[in-house]
Amino acid sequence: MNMRPSAGFLPLLLLAACTGGMSPDAAPAGAAPDPLAQIGRWALQGATDPGGRPIAAVLPGGRAVHALVFDGERVAVQGGCNHVGGRYRIEAGGRLRVLDMQSTLMACSDQALMDADAAVAGLLEGEATWRIAESYPEQLRLEHADGRSSRWVAERPAR
């Protein structure tokens, strides 16, 4: 009997060893599930500055194009010109902390979209309180200590 793994099986074996055999969706024992990651995608609806005025820069051409995807300890901003993302953690007291936002520097032909990428990244970075409205689809609201806020709507994957 040959006990050597086949060439196709070896990458799977190495992946299992590196991940400790846990699926990417598995949480450590006793850990509460991350409600932000469970949704899938959160589509931006709009944002306001500390004075309650709309932040037009996050809506290139007056339309919402960006979405958030929370996964593990990472948050990604999708829909723009650049790849934007950072780390996040949910803290006690309903706090969301987004750190180390980074972006590629693609030379897109749509300057408004590039500006919106930067505006959305700036809107997210730092600490905010968060809450999810019990509606369908769910609504996420982020409120920063300086008075900025943003609204996002759940985009659940088709089952």
Side-chain angles (χ1 to χ4, degrees), residues 104-125:
T104 59
L105 298 174
M106 306 294 281
C108 300
S109 61
D110 187 345
Q111 184 63 46
L113 186 57
M114 288 189 339
D115 293 344
D117 288 347
V120 170
L123 178 67
L124 294 172
E125 192 155 28

Side-chain angles (χ1 to χ4, degrees), residues 20-39:
M22 284 179 52
S23 73
D25 297 329
D34 179 349
L36 298 175
Q38 286 182 328
I39 295 295

